[in-house]
């Protein structure tokens, strides 16, 4: 693994924009220019926030108490714009409702007890299922959207000539549900990525794979995917900066922890950057005097807003 100390040591104060993240059930905003940290909203539910690719909305949903209640928030106002109840609840393996740009389409993995297999469903802001990707054909793991309303997912194909293949893929036409395979994984299902983030221009995707962060093209059968960040702990929840030069991510406190510290680092031009727990890429937490953790890594996400 190649280190890139010159890039990782550059002052983060030169960055602009606002990072949003969830911690202990609340939503925080970190101003990268001033370093100011503000609690801006109290979440309704355990999971989230999950940000729309256009940076205008985020969702939260309730799990494990009642995971069928979804709240849509406006990111400018930090107020709930709409709430709805899913008619088909989500499986416990799903990490939360993901929101498409515009705030009118959402994705989630349905619970078999709802009468369907574990379909990857697309539903509207009334909770009505509009499209379903067949959970009997694909065992789904992670999912997200890009700014063009393309739906990305990871999982294992369980039918056809690719049966047993673990994939990162996208759906560009929800009507036909035809998938485009971006890359395959030689891994157990547990190592298949569940945290996905597409760059603002849609050309790159970042994801967690075997505890590291990988980045590559979103085109079919892409061959440029590579590990870009590693650490002694697991890394998760990557998100691109608006200019796609940097990644914000969560370094989990342990390989099994669902909480961790927020780090920001420049994407290396080649090789992989090793991040250290207390290195210069780490941002201070809400109560840094107590060395508090920053973010929920397993059931939340980070949003980088201009």
């Amino acid at each position: 693994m190649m280190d890139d100390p010159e890039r990782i040591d550059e002052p983060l104060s030169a960055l602009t924009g606002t990072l949003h993240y969830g911690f202990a059930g609340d939503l925080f905003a970190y101003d990268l220019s001033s370093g100011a940290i503000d609690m801006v909203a109290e979440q309704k539910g355990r999971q989230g926030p999950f940000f729309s690719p256009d940076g205008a909305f985020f969702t939260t949903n309730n799990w494990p108490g009642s995971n069928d209640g979804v709240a849509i928030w406006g990111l400018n106002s930090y107020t709930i714009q709409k709430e709805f109840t899913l008619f088909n609840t989500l499986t416990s393996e799903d990490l939360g409702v993901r929101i498409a740009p515009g705030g009118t389409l959402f994705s989630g993995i349905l619970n078999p007890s709802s009468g369907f297999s574990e379909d990857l469903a697309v539903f509207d802001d009334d909770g009505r299922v509009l499209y379903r990707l067949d959970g009997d054909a694909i065992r789904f793991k992670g999912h997200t959207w890009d700014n063009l309303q393309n739906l990305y997912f990871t999982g294992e194909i369980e039918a056809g000539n690719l049966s047993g293949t673990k994939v990162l893929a996208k759906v560009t036409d929800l009507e036909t549900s035809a998938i485009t395979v971006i890359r395959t994984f030689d891994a157990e299902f547990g190592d298949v990525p569940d945290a996905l983030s597409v760059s603002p221009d849609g050309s790159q995707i970042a994801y967690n794979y075997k505890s590291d962060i990988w980045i590559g093209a979103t085109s079919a059968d892409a061959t440029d995917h590579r590990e870009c960040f590693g650490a002694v702990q697991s890394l998760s929840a990557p998100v691109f900066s608006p200019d796609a030069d940097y990644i914000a991510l969560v370094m989990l406190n342990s390989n099994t922890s669902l909480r961790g510290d927020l780090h920001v680092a420049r994407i290396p031009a080649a090789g992989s950057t090793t991040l250290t727990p207390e290195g210069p890429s780490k941002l201070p937490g809400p109560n840094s005097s107590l060395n508090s953790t920053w973010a929920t890594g397993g059931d939340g996400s980070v949003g980088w807003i201009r």
Side-chain angles (χ1 to χ4, degrees):
M1 183 180 298
M2 296 177 59
D3 294 343
D4 197 350
E6 292 183 357
R7 290 183 182 274
I8 196 64
D9 286 339
E10 66 181 340
L12 297 179
S13 58
L15 299 178
T16 60
T18 304
L19 279 169
H20 292 80
Y21 65 96
F23 174 71
D26 300 317
L27 181 68
F28 287 84
Y30 180 90
D31 187 296
L32 285 160
S33 298
S34 67
I37 303 170
D38 295 303
M39 190 182 82
V40 295
E42 182 178 358
Q43 290 187 34
K44 182 182 183 300
R46 177 179 179 268
Q47 289 186 316
F50 299 107
F51 301 88
S52 62
D54 55 9
F57 303 94
F58 64 94
T59 58
T60 58
N61 66 286
N62 294 331
W63 174 262
S66 171
N67 67 336
D68 52 3
V70 179
I72 308 166
W73 300 70
L75 198 53
N76 291 329
S77 62
Y78 304 118
T79 59
I80 295 176
Q81 307 294 300
K82 188 172 184 179
E83 297 178 82
F84 63 86
T85 299
L86 290 174
F87 301 129
N88 302 282
T89 57
L90 303 178
T91 175
S92 61
E93 294 181 356
D94 194 5
L95 296 180
V97 172
R98 299 307 201 269
I99 179 171
T104 59
L105 291 179
F106 308 83
S107 59
I109 302 173
L110 297 181
N111 194 315
S113 64
S114 65
F116 302 102
S117 56
E118 292 187 5
D119 296 348
L120 177 56
V122 175
F123 39 91
D124 64 15
D125 56 6
D126 288 320
R128 295 173 298 195
V129 175
L130 305 178
Y131 309 98
R132 290 201 305 270
L133 277 69
D134 187 359
D136 287 329
I138 302 172
R139 182 184 178 190
F140 295 100
K141 185 75 177 286
H143 51 98
T144 195
W145 300 82
D146 69 12
N147 270 316
L148 299 176
Q149 290 197 344
N150 297 316
L151 177 61
Y152 293 75
F153 69 85
T154 54
E156 180 178 1
I157 296 177
E158 297 188 322
N161 59 359
L162 292 178
S163 180
T165 305
K166 284 77 171 179
V167 299
L168 165 64
K170 64 181 177 180
V171 178
T172 57
D173 185 347
L174 294 172
E175 293 285 351
T176 65
S177 298
I179 70 170
T180 299
V181 174
I182 297 171
R183 69 155 295 181
T184 61
F185 300 98
D186 183 14
E188 299 297 324
F189 185 79
D191 288 326
V192 173
D194 57 18
L196 315 175
S197 173
V198 182
S199 62
D201 68 359
S203 67
Q204 301 285 304
I205 187 167
Y207 50 90
N208 61 329
Y209 182 42
K210 294 186 176 180
S211 301
D212 300 322
I213 300 300
W214 288 57
I215 300 175
T218 57
S219 54
D221 300 319
T223 59
D224 66 339
H225 287 230
R226 62 186 177 92
E227 176 196 319
C228 288
F229 297 103
V232 295
Q233 302 289 8
S234 294
L235 305 179
S236 188
V239 63
F240 285 93
S241 63
D243 60 10
D245 288 338
Y246 291 81
I247 287 284
L249 54 87
V250 175
M251 183 183 294
L252 302 181
N253 290 340
S254 71
N255 288 335
T256 58
S257 172
L258 294 183
R259 289 185 175 175
D261 298 314
L262 192 59
H263 288 248
V264 176
R266 183 188 286 271
I267 299 171
S272 177
T273 295
T274 300
L275 303 178
T276 56
E278 299 300 326
S281 62
K282 179 184 175 182
L283 299 185
N287 191 348
S288 57
S289 63
L290 297 179
N291 197 29
S292 66
T293 55
W294 253 89
T296 300
D299 54 5
S301 69
V302 178
W304 195 326
I305 312 303
R306 293 180 183 273

